Amino acid sequence: MSRLPQWVGGLGAGLTRFAQRLDERKAQTSGTADASGEGSAPTSAGMSASSDTHGSSGTPTSSGAGAPSGTEQAAAGQAPAGVAVSEHEHVPPPPGYAPSVAPRPDPVAAVPWGVRVAAEVAWRLLILAASLWVLMRMISAVQLVVLAFVAALLITALLQPTVALLRRHGVPRGLATAMTFISGFVIMGLVCWFVVWQVTENLDDLTENVQHGITELKTWLLNSPFHVTEDQINNIADNLSKAIGTNTKDITSAGIEGVTVILEVLTGILLAMFSTLFLLYDGPKIWGWLLKLFPAAARDGVAGAGPRAWATLTAYVRGTVIVALIDAIFIGIGLFFLDVPMAVPLAVFIFLFAFIPLVGAVVSGALAVVVALVTRDMFTATMVLAVVLAVQQIEGHVLQPFILGRAVRVHPLAVVLSVAAGSLMAGIGGAVVAVPLVAVTNAVVGYLRAYARENALRTAAGEPSPEAAGQNVPAGSEGPPGESRG
């Protein structure tokens, strides 16, 4: 126990010396680096002073642990004791063949160019898809209002030339709008009333003719080469009766929902009438207000695209009305001479369904053929099919290219896809407005592309831009879409 204090004191003195040696080695290493940079080495006097300092601690040490050995001094970068150090000695630089460590590349530069382009396009497409999804959700929430306003735009495109004609003959704008609005909706109401009246008047005869036609169809199937037996026909009839009986509750609920649908249709009609009236009267002011919502840099382009979109929509509505009227007249005459019941209501249906391109013509033609089949015979149905196909071929190859022209030319694939998408999103109303929407979008995009190209060429040539010169570049930009300047 008497040696324990001495042992602890020796341990503390050893730790103190060890700490001093570490400090001295750090100082010597930094001094060697500075001396090699300046082209001079530490002097022997400095080394001696360091050795004196190293050995001048007040703590008693043994001869083996008091000073560092020669190997330790060489490792620390200083000369062993008794060896003189030259003043011109310095640490040599690393050899030229030593491997160099290349810096790590920038992570952005390490990604291939194609992957970077794909990523840039992908996140922009995601933003566009998200924006489109939000827009469609908003439209579906107010679907009735949107369809009513679009219907008002189509009706306005049909009636607006009449307002412009009356104004050119000196009729005040308010009176011209009122006359056109009242006469247009009265004519449309009379057409709808005539269709309903004809259907109700011929409903009894149609029921009897349908029953008689079903009997004849059954007889024809029994004698046809399809080898259909009477038991198979009776089974089909029984299955239909059971299906109707099973789904009676669904049919009843559909009838109750039909009341809600009727109320919505009436509300939509009132909204469409109200919107049409103000579009006919205040179309220029509404267009001017819409232009103010766009940024100043894009206002000139939009001001030029608007009249072209309106001209495209007007040409589409006029051409569709003319083509539908011709189809209805000629197919109605064919039905009349073939003695098909309800020839006039069927002609009106053909006129209305013509506003749905491609699909409407097929549906209305099939309806006429089915009515001829169940009310007359197979020969009459075949003749009706021939009449419908002939009129539709004339329409597709002669009337539409001549009447509609290139202003509203849309590829048939785009027509089919737009009608299908519109019908899935908004039913019959979506199918009606899908094609004019595509035609208007095509016209607007084409004009904006040409407008941007023209501005780029003008900028490259050093000419002042039209907006900087105070001009209205787009031809017809002064006239809003709602007023023709004939």
Side-chain angles (χ1 to χ4, degrees):
M1 296 297 294
S2 60
R3 294 182 180 181
L4 181 61
Q6 297 177 0
W7 182 81
V8 172
L11 179 62
L15 292 176
T16 303
R17 288 193 301 273
F18 181 73
Q20 291 177 354
R21 284 199 299 271
L22 287 178
D23 294 338
E24 291 172 359
R25 289 180 181 178
K26 290 181 181 179
Q28 291 170 1
T29 304
S30 60
T32 303
D34 295 340
S36 61
E38 297 174 359
S40 61
T43 61
S44 58
M47 289 294 186
S48 303
S50 175
S51 300
D52 295 341
T53 304
H54 185 72
S56 63
S57 61
T59 308
T61 59
S62 61
S63 60
S69 62
T71 306
E72 293 176 349
Q73 292 177 351
Q78 65 184 37
V83 179
V85 180
S86 173
E87 295 182 357
H88 302 285
E89 185 178 357
H90 65 280
V91 179
Y97 57 84
S100 60
V101 180
R104 292 185 178 181
D106 187 8
V108 177
V111 179
W113 182 80
V115 176
R116 280 186 285 170
V117 172
E120 294 283 340
V121 174
W123 72 259
R124 286 175 171 84
L125 289 179
L126 287 176
I127 292 178
L128 289 177
S131 304
L132 184 61
W133 182 81
V134 172
L135 179 62
M136 296 308 299
R137 294 287 295 177
M138 294 173 60
I139 291 176
S140 62
V142 290
Q143 179 178 345
L144 179 63
V145 178
V146 173
L147 289 178
F149 183 75
V150 173
L153 280 176
L154 296 176
I155 297 172
T156 304
L158 180 63
L159 299 180
Q160 187 271 331
T162 306
V163 176
L165 179 64
L166 293 176
R167 290 198 64 197
R168 284 197 298 269
H169 287 80
V171 181
R173 184 174 188 81
L175 182 59
T177 301
M179 293 172 59
T180 306
F181 175 79
I182 294 173
S183 60
F185 277 94
V186 165
I187 292 174
M188 288 186 284
L190 288 176
V191 169
C192 296
W193 170 81
F194 179 76
V195 172
V196 174
W197 173 64
Q198 285 291 314
V199 171
T200 55
E201 284 291 325
N202 296 279
L203 187 60
D204 296 334
D205 295 336
L206 180 63
T207 304
E208 295 178 0
N209 292 329
V210 167
Q211 293 176 354
H212 178 69
I214 291 174
T215 303
E216 289 187 354
L217 180 61
K218 179 180 177 180
T219 305
W220 181 81
L221 288 173
L222 291 174
N223 299 324
S224 66
F226 299 109
H227 304 290
V228 180
T229 63
E230 187 172 359
D231 293 336
Q232 293 175 340
I233 297 176
N234 292 332
N235 289 332
I236 293 174
D238 293 339
N239 291 332
L240 289 176
S241 300
K242 290 179 182 178
I244 293 174
T246 305
N247 298 324
T248 303
K249 293 182 180 180
D250 296 337
I251 295 173
T252 305
S253 62
I256 296 174
E257 292 178 357
V259 178
T260 306
V261 172
I262 291 175
L263 292 177
E264 290 181 355
V265 168
L266 292 177
T267 304
I269 291 174
L270 291 177
L271 285 175
M273 294 176 64
F274 189 78
S275 301
T276 302
L277 178 62
F278 280 96
L279 286 174
L280 287 173
Y281 184 74
D282 279 336
K285 294 181 180 178
I286 295 174
W287 175 240
W289 177 79
L290 287 176
L291 279 179
K292 294 178 181 178
L293 299 179
F294 290 91
R299 197 169 296 164
D300 291 296
V302 176
R308 281 157 179 79
W310 184 252
T312 301
L313 183 62
T314 304
Y316 175 83
V317 174
R318 289 181 192 173
T320 304
V321 168
I322 295 173
V323 170
L325 187 61
I326 294 174
D327 288 351
I329 290 175
F330 282 97
I331 295 178
I333 290 174
L335 296 175
F336 177 77
F337 281 107
L338 291 172
D339 199 17
V340 177
M342 296 195 306
V344 177
L346 287 174
V348 175
F349 276 114
I350 290 171
F351 173 80
L352 296 177
F353 276 93
F355 285 91
I356 306 176
L358 297 181
V359 180
V362 173
V363 172
S364 59
L367 179 62
V369 172
V370 169
V371 171
L373 177 63
V374 299
T375 57
R376 287 293 177 262
D377 50 20
M378 182 62 67
F379 175 76
T380 306
T382 305
M383 295 304 296
V384 171
L385 179 61
V387 171
V388 170
L389 291 177
V391 172
Q392 289 180 358
Q393 290 298 315
I394 295 173
E395 169 201 338
H397 294 87
V398 178
L399 295 179
Q400 285 189 355
F402 179 73
I403 296 175
L404 296 179
R406 299 182 60 88
V408 292
R409 180 170 295 178
V410 181
H411 196 275
L413 179 60
V415 172
V416 172
L417 294 179
S418 60
V419 169
S423 60
L424 289 175
M425 289 188 295
I428 297 178
V432 171
V433 304
V435 176
L437 179 62
V438 171
V440 168
T441 304
N442 184 32
V444 171
V445 171
Y447 172 79
L448 291 178
R449 187 185 299 115
Y451 178 77
R453 188 184 305 113
E454 182 182 353
N455 274 352
L457 293 175
R458 186 181 292 108
T459 303
E463 299 178 4
S465 61
E467 51 268 21
Q471 301 174 359
N472 242 343
V473 186
S477 60
E478 297 178 358
E483 180 181 5
S484 70
R485 294 167 307 181

